[in-house]
C-alpha cells in the first residue's frame, strides 16, 4: 500500500544474520540511500504525477514543484484536483502546477489525456494512482478494477505518452508498486477475475504486475539503447485514503471508522511514504530497472534502500507474458523509435 527520518549508515550484513536481529535482515543487494533535503534542482523538468490530489501523490507533486519542476497533477475528480492545485500553490508560492483530468478506470480517458497533451516532451512520469482492497467491480472497459486501474491503466498511459518521454533528454518513469507484492501468487489465468475474486489476492497481484511492468519497460528500453529509466518503488505503510476513499464508501461507517483508527495508529505520516517515489524521481544516479523500498521488516517502514535482486525483478518470462497480455487487453502498442504512435 501505499516520513522523514534521519538516514543512518548501516554496516554490511552477513549472508545469514542471527535470528535475534530481525532489523538486520536486509538482502545483500540493498544499499542505504540518503534522500537529500532539499531535493536536487528540478527546474526545467516537466513532470506528471497521477493520483496527485491526495496522499503520496499529492506530496510527490508538491515536493517536485517545490524543487522547481513544472508539475502536472493528473486526477480523476476535477473538483478535488482543482482543490489540490490551489492547496499546492498556497504551500509553494510561485509553483508551476496545473491540473489535467485522467481516469485510469476508463481507457478512453487515458487516450484523451495523451492525445490532448499540450507539451512537446515529458521528462518524468510518476505512475502513482491506484486503488487498494476494494469490493469487486469492473472498469468502464470491463476489467476487474484493481487490475484494470493499477496495472492496465498505467500500462496504457505510459505507452501513449512514450513519444513525449523519448523526446526528453533524460526521461524517467516511476511506478508505485507495494510491499504487498511480495506475497502475491501471480496467476496469469486469473488476472482479470476470470475464475474467482479475492480482494487481497487481486490487490497484491496488481501490485506485482506494476513491478513486472516497470522492469520489462527497462528491458525493452535497454534493448533499443534508449536513455529511458524505469524505476519501481514501494512506499510502505503510509497514511492515505486508499483504504477508505473511492469504492470503499459502500462498506459502511463502521468499516471506515475502524480503518481510519488503524491507519492513524499503525501507519506512518504521508511524507514518509513519498520518500521512495521522490528518490526514484530525482536522484541523479538511480539505476533503471531498480526497485526502491523501505528498509524495515517486510518493507513496511524505514529508510529507502535500493533492491536489484527482488525475485520478481528476475522473472523475465512472466513479465514478457504480462506485457503481451496487456497489449492485447488495452490495444496499446508501444511506439518505439521507427514505429508510428498508435493505439488500436
Amino acid at each position: 500500500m501505499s516520513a522523514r527520518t534521519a538516514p543512518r549508515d548501516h554496516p554490511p550484513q552477513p549472508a545469514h544474520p542471527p535470528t535475534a536481529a530481525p532489523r538486520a535482515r536486509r538482502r545483500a543487494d540493498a544499499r542505504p540511500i540518503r534522500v537529500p533535503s532539499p531535493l536536487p534542482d528540478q527546474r526545467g523538468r516537466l513532470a506528471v504525477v497521477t493520483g496527485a490530489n491526495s496522499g503520496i501523490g499529492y506530496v510527490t507533486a508538491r515536493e517536485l514543484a517545490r524543487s522547481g519542476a513544472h508539475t502536472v497533477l493528473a486526477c480523476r475528480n476535477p473538483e478535488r484536483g482543482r482543490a489540490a492545485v490551489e492547496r499546492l500553490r498556497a504551500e509553494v508560492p510561485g509553483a508551476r502546477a496545473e491540473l489535467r483530468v485522467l481516469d485510469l478506470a476508463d481507457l478512453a480517458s487515458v487516450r484523451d489525456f495523451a492525445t490532448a497533451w499540450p507539451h512537446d516532451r515529458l521528462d518524468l512520469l510518476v505512475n502513482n494512482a491506484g486503488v487498494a482492497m476494494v469490493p469487486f467491480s469492473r472498469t468502464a472497459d470491463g476489467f476487474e478494477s484493481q487490475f484494470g486501474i493499477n496495472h492496465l491503466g498505467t500500462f496504457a498511459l505510459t505507452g501513449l505518452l512514450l513519444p513525449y518521454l523519448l523526446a526528453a533528454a533524460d526521461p524517467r518513469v516511476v511506478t508505485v508498486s507495494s510491499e504487498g507484492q511480495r506475497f502475491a501468487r501471480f496467476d496469469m489465468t486469473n488476472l482479470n477475475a476470470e475464475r474467482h475474486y479475492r480482494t487481497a489476492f487481486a490487490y497484491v497481484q496488481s501490485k506485482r504486475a506494476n513491478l513486472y511492468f516497470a522492469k520489462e519497460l527497462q528491458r525493452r528500453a535497454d534493448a533499443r539503447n534508449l536513455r529511458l529509466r524505469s524505476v519501481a518503488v514501494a512506499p510502505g505503510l503510509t497514511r492515505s485514503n486508499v483504504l477508505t476513499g473511492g469504492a470503499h464508501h459502500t462498506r459502511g461507517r463502521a468499516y471506515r471508522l475502524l480503518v481510519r483508527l488503524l491507519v492513524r495508529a499503525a501507519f506512518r505520516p504521508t511524507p514518509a511514504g513519498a520518500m521512495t517515489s521522490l528518490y526514484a524521481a530525482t536522484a541523479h544516479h538511480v539505476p533503471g530497472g531498480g526497485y526502491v523500498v523501505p528498509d524495515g521488516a517486510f518493507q513496511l517502514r524505514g529508510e529507502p534502500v535500493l533492491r536489484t535482486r527482488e525475485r520478481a525483478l528476475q522473472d523475465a518470462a512472466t513479465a514478457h507474458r504480462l506485457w503481451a497480455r496487456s497489449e492485447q487487453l488495452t490495444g496499446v502498442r508501444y511506439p518505439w523509435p521507427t514505429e508510428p504512435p498508435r493505439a488500436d
Side-chain angles (χ1 to χ4, degrees):
M1 282 176 275
S2 77
R4 249 186 261 259
T5 58
R8 300 188 300 271
D9 293 328
H10 298 278
Q13 300 299 319
H16 300 287
T19 56
R23 178 70 175 171
R25 292 176 185 169
R26 182 184 297 141
R27 296 180 63 116
D29 64 310
R31 300 192 296 274
I33 292 167
R34 182 178 295 275
V35 181
S37 180
L39 295 173
D41 190 351
Q42 300 299 297
R43 284 176 294 182
R45 294 186 84 197
L46 179 58
V48 168
V49 181
T50 67
N53 62 285
S54 66
I56 292 170
Y58 174 77
V59 172
T60 301
R62 182 190 66 198
E63 296 310 308
L64 288 171
R66 191 190 306 278
S67 300
H70 179 169
T71 307
V72 177
L73 285 71
C75 305
R76 178 180 60 85
N77 185 296
E79 182 178 350
R80 293 176 182 171
R82 283 191 290 270
V85 171
E86 292 174 3
R87 176 185 171 194
L88 188 155
R89 289 174 176 164
E91 294 178 353
V92 185
R96 298 185 65 193
E98 63 179 275
L99 168 68
R100 297 190 65 78
V101 175
L102 170 68
D103 184 357
L104 293 179
D106 186 347
L107 290 179
S109 173
V110 176
R111 291 187 176 93
D112 288 345
F113 182 95
T115 300
W117 182 247
H119 306 284
D120 62 353
R121 74 182 198 288
L122 176 59
D123 299 285
L124 170 65
L125 172 61
V126 181
N127 288 315
N128 168 82
V131 294
M133 308 289 191
V134 295
F136 178 77
S137 64
R138 294 204 177 269
T139 68
D141 303 281
F143 307 128
E144 184 277 310
S145 60
Q146 297 191 94
F147 179 64
I149 294 170
N150 296 351
H151 171 64
L152 292 177
T154 291
F155 177 90
L157 177 68
T158 307
L160 293 170
L161 290 176
L162 187 65
Y164 299 105
L165 286 161
L166 297 182
D170 185 21
R172 198 175 302 195
V173 177
V174 175
T175 300
V176 179
S177 179
S178 167
E179 60 285 352
Q181 67 79 25
R182 299 169 64 244
F183 306 101
R185 296 179 60 188
F186 202 77
D187 185 353
M188 287 289 298
T189 69
N190 195 46
L191 292 175
N192 203 23
E194 292 91 344
R195 292 184 287 107
H196 55 76
Y197 180 77
R198 297 190 182 98
T199 302
F201 175 91
Y203 172 68
V204 296
Q205 178 163 268
S206 73
K207 294 283 100 179
R208 172 69 65 80
N210 288 151
L211 190 53
Y212 283 141
F213 162 71
K215 182 63 174 182
E216 184 65 13
L217 177 60
Q218 188 64 55
R219 290 190 188 100
R220 293 176 183 242
D222 288 347
R224 295 164 174 83
N225 295 315
L226 299 173
R227 296 188 63 183
L228 177 73
R229 279 186 280 181
S230 172
V231 185
V233 304
L237 287 180
T238 306
R239 294 171 192 164
S240 73
N241 67 353
V242 71
L243 291 176
T244 56
H248 291 289
H249 75 277
T250 62
R251 292 186 183 271
R253 290 184 59 190
Y255 167 87
R256 293 196 297 274
L257 177 60
L258 287 173
V259 170
R260 286 193 183 103
L261 291 173
L262 173 65
V263 167
R264 185 177 302 172
F267 288 41
R268 58 190 184 154
T270 307
M275 289 179 70
T276 52
S277 293
L278 288 168
Y279 172 80
T282 65
H284 295 303
H285 302 297
V286 63
Y291 183 38
V292 182
V293 304
D295 73 342
F298 302 107
Q299 303 174 4
L300 298 179
R301 60 183 69 243
E303 302 165 13
V305 293
L306 177 66
R307 294 194 186 276
T308 58
R309 291 185 290 176
E310 192 86 13
R311 183 176 60 180
L313 296 176
Q314 313 308 317
D315 189 357
T318 301
H320 181 82
R321 292 171 61 203
L322 176 63
W323 189 284
R325 182 63 173 152
S326 302
E327 288 183 331
Q328 179 185 39
L329 291 172
T330 63
V332 174
R333 309 290 187 270
Y334 276 46
W336 299 107
T338 77
E339 299 177 26
R342 65 190 175 93
D344 297 340

